[in-house]
Amino acid sequence: MSDHALRLLREQPHLAELAAFPFNFDLTRADHGEAVRLASGGPLEAVAGDDTGGTYFVCGDGSMLYADSEGSAGIIGNSVDEALEVLVGLPGWHDYLGLAPADGEEKIRAAVAETEEEIREYHGIDDERTELRAGLGLPERSPVELIGLLHAALLRTEPDFLLLNAEEGGAHDLLDRHPRPPLWEAVLARGRTDLTLLREGSAWDEVAGDRARRALALRAAQFDRREGDLPLLRHLLRHEAEASMTDELRLAAVLVGLHGCAEDLPLLYEVRETDFDTWCGLGGMPEPDADPAELRSWARGLDDSLFGTDPADEPLFTWTGLAREQGLVELARAALIRRLDDIDFRAYCDARDGKAMERRDASQLSSLVHEFEQLGDTFQALRAQRLYVPLQTRAWDRVSALLRLARLEREEGRFGAAIRTLASLRDTLAEPDGGADVGGGSGSGSGSDKSLGHWQRTNLGAYIVEEHYAVARTAATDTALADEVRTVTVAAGELLARLSGTARANVERHLARTTDTHTDSRTDIHTDTGANPDAGVSAEPTPPQPSAG
């Protein structure tokens, strides 16, 4: 990608002055005014700005990204040179963001002519355009060609060049409003190709033996059902069982069951008996000697409630999970950030209007946290978890949510925030009905919340203590937090002393593996607290991490 024109502008003041006026590409206005970054983490360099507060950035691959002052951004050229071709050839380019080559030459030329006549009422552009093109070595292209370049560049903005507010994490809107293909279409493309190969009788083992390809092929078969697919569905089902219980295993069983063949009952029964998870996940399946009509009825019931034939009806997390599995990380990230932004905006509106945030967002937020962590995006996971915490009304759920929040804050290096979150967690342990949390959530207020009655004997209790020590250990590098670190360390020791004997022993073993260089912590850990060494860990487990979808 060429930046030849940018070098010339930096070297030749006269050309830079022409670019700044009348073409509004001003090298002296490269300060955007707020910190921004690409969601992908890719490099971004501000190189110029305009008189409306907009900024031009060069991305890692040489593409030029424009961000306006109203929170919108988009790629306007595949290189700096190409972007300058557009800016010089279409000085009213902001007015053409809705145009596309499909609009036709007549409409495009009319729109450009109208805008440029309005510009000429105030200052010249024709001689200036000729001089700047010559000075920068830019070719002379027709308005139709330039609209084609601009349109193609804008469509490249997502997912790789999604611009975020660096502090808050929210995404900028798209500069244009051109329609994009739905997420599922891009995700399903490989699956449709593989399904065609399977139907042709080739690549059976290659597709079935690859977890990501197998899952996509099954999803493609879900939305393109054919009578002759039964043999390949059986093949995919057998291989998917090796991955234990997945949504795609249930889907494969349903697609096989819908054919209603008696000879498939033993196979389905065998798959169900693979392990405990498959036995639970495929519950209600007819026995091997059942009537085929019963099999078909079971499959139809699950199909109607869980699957169907329209990919647009599938949850977002189905597609983001499948995108991640096939390496389309930025596609998944962009879709997840957009969904989180929607929830965040609703929460802002609710707070502005004095209303409580709707609990219907809780399950989506939990899945968002999980999906962002799967992508390794702790920053966005933390955003989602902050919104999730106030929605928890049961004391056990509040403590679990606060614990996860503290961990994410620690992993993001926000040690002061993690320390404050752990303080709120301890308040909730002390007064389960008080609703102490982060963000204004509240407890039931009924005085009857007993969900934390035996936290000292559970895995949750052990995790709470371990996180206190983890925060104290990592925050010790920040000398400004010395007093807070001492408070957390003391609290960790007090909580450890309250654990049952077995839970305490488990924590001590964990800490012995992770705190070898922290003698003081080890001394605290091994102090005799009089805990009963025979006390067992409660059978009540810590709630599992939410699965995608």
Side-chain angles (χ1 to χ4, degrees):
M1 295 298 181
S2 173
D3 62 353
H4 173 72
L6 182 59
R7 289 199 303 272
L8 289 175
L9 291 177
R10 287 170 168 170
E11 294 168 358
Q12 300 186 35
H14 175 63
L15 293 179
E17 290 173 5
L18 268 180
F21 183 81
F23 300 104
N24 220 358
F25 184 85
D26 192 340
L27 298 180
T28 68
R29 294 179 180 265
D31 182 6
H32 189 56
E34 66 174 9
V36 294
R37 66 178 180 86
L38 293 178
S40 66
L44 195 68
E45 179 192 3
V47 295
D50 62 25
D51 60 11
T52 68
T55 308
Y56 298 94
F57 298 89
V58 178
C59 304
D61 70 340
S63 297
M64 176 160 280
L65 179 80
Y66 174 79
D68 66 22
S69 60
E70 303 299 320
S72 298
I75 296 293
I76 60 169
N78 293 333
S79 67
V80 178
D81 287 5
E82 183 178 293
L84 283 168
E85 283 188 55
V86 172
L87 300 182
V88 175
L90 300 173
W93 69 273
H94 289 275
D95 295 337
Y96 314 140
L97 293 172
L99 287 176
D103 291 317
E105 180 175 353
E106 183 178 353
K107 181 177 180 179
I108 290 172
R109 288 188 178 278
V112 171
E114 180 180 357
T115 302
E116 294 195 353
E117 281 304 312
E118 293 175 358
I119 294 174
R120 291 185 184 97
E121 292 179 7
Y122 300 96
H123 55 77
I125 56 172
D126 299 304
D127 293 341
E128 293 81 356
R129 177 158 48 200
T130 299
E131 182 178 358
L132 189 55
R133 274 176 169 163
L136 298 179
L138 301 178
E140 183 175 346
R141 298 185 190 270
S142 71
V144 176
E145 289 179 280
L146 293 172
I147 290 295
L149 292 176
L150 176 61
H151 177 72
L154 288 167
L155 292 180
R156 293 180 55 239
T157 303
E158 282 193 24
D160 294 321
F161 304 101
L162 182 64
L163 190 67
L164 306 181
N165 178 292
E167 295 181 1
E168 299 174 0
H172 283 54
D173 293 330
L174 292 171
L175 268 181
D176 67 283
R177 294 294 180 266
H178 295 299
R180 266 74 170 177
L183 173 64
W184 60 262
E185 190 171 299
V187 174
L188 208 55
R190 177 66 180 273
R192 286 170 164 168
T193 299
D194 280 343
L195 182 59
T196 298
L197 292 176
L198 292 170
R199 284 170 173 166
E200 292 172 350
S202 59
W204 273 40
D205 290 336
E206 291 88 338
V207 173
D210 184 302
R211 164 73 186 113
R213 293 180 68 181
R214 183 173 67 243
L216 286 167
L218 282 166
R219 289 294 176 176
Q222 175 186 348
F223 306 116
D224 181 13
R225 304 181 183 191
R226 299 186 186 179
E227 199 63 36
D229 284 347
L230 185 54
L232 68 88
L233 292 172
R234 290 168 177 158
H235 187 66
L236 295 174
L237 173 63
R238 290 188 181 94
H239 280 76
E240 188 63 23
E242 298 172 4
S244 189
M245 193 61 230
T246 64
D247 288 339
E248 282 71 38
L249 179 65
R250 187 180 288 111
L251 171 60
V254 165
L255 293 176
V256 169
L258 286 171
H259 287 266
C261 295
E263 58 265 35
D264 289 321
L265 281 164
L267 169 62
L268 291 167
Y269 182 79
E270 178 186 343
V271 168
R272 188 188 72 176
E273 298 298 307
T274 300
D275 55 37
F276 180 73
D277 289 337
T278 56
W279 186 84
C280 294
L282 295 175
M285 179 184 292
E287 296 299 316
D289 58 352
D291 186 276
E294 187 179 347
L295 171 61
R296 188 179 289 109
S297 176
W298 170 81
R300 283 175 179 167
L302 281 181
D303 190 30
D304 291 343
S305 61
L306 297 177
F307 299 111
T309 58
D310 187 348
D313 292 338
E314 283 291 322
L316 169 70
F317 304 109
T318 296
W319 302 120
T320 56
L322 291 170
R324 169 171 43 80
E325 286 188 11
Q326 61 177 311
L328 301 176
V329 172
E330 296 312 318
L331 191 66
R333 192 197 314 273
L336 293 167
I337 290 174
R338 292 294 188 193
R339 178 62 58 86
L340 178 55
D341 284 353
D342 288 343
I343 297 174
D344 200 358
F345 181 70
R346 287 201 300 272
Y348 164 78
C349 292
D350 288 341
R352 180 196 59 196
D353 298 337
K355 298 189 300 184
M357 189 176 171
E358 296 186 27
R359 287 194 54 78
R360 65 186 173 88
D361 289 326
S363 62
Q364 286 205 54
L365 286 168
S366 182
S367 293
L368 282 166
V369 174
H370 174 78
E371 285 295 302
F372 280 126
E373 288 202 271
Q374 291 296 305
L375 292 174
D377 196 334
T378 310
F379 180 84
Q380 295 293 344
L382 179 55
R383 278 186 69 205
Q385 187 68 9
R386 283 175 175 159
L387 291 171
Y388 178 74
V389 168
L391 297 175
Q392 309 313 304
T393 56
R394 197 172 74 118
W396 178 284
D397 297 333
R398 290 201 305 276
V399 166
S400 297
L402 287 165
L403 179 62
R404 193 180 205 180
L405 178 62
R407 174 177 62 78
L408 291 169
E409 289 169 334
R410 169 175 58 82
E411 291 175 355
E412 272 292 291
R414 305 186 184 205
F415 302 133
I419 289 170
R420 291 189 294 273
T421 296
L422 290 179
S424 294
L425 186 156
R426 295 194 300 275
D427 289 343
T428 305
L429 290 177
E431 297 184 38
D433 292 304
D437 62 19
V438 178
S442 61
S444 62
S446 65
S448 60
D449 190 337
K450 307 300 182 186
S451 59
L452 287 172
H454 302 287
W455 68 266
Q456 303 92 333
R457 302 178 64 237
T458 67
N459 290 334
L460 177 62
Y463 297 154
I464 289 169
V465 176
E466 290 171 3
E467 187 57 37
H468 273 72
Y469 279 114
V471 169
R473 184 170 60 250
T474 53
T477 58
D478 189 340
T479 56
L481 294 173
D483 291 340
E484 289 86 347
V485 169
R486 280 191 289 272
T487 299
V488 170
T489 304
V490 170
E494 293 172 348
L495 291 168
L496 179 65
R498 296 174 66 184
L499 295 183
S500 69
T502 302
R504 180 175 179 235
N506 289 340
V507 172
E508 289 176 344
R509 281 193 294 271
H510 171 79
L511 293 174
R513 294 192 299 268
T514 57
T515 60
D516 290 342
T517 60
H518 295 79
T519 304
D520 292 341
S521 295
R522 286 203 305 275
T523 301
D524 290 341
I525 292 166
H526 292 290
T527 299
D528 183 8
T529 62
N532 176 9
D534 298 322
V537 177
S538 167
E540 182 178 5
T542 299
Q545 298 295 331
S547 61

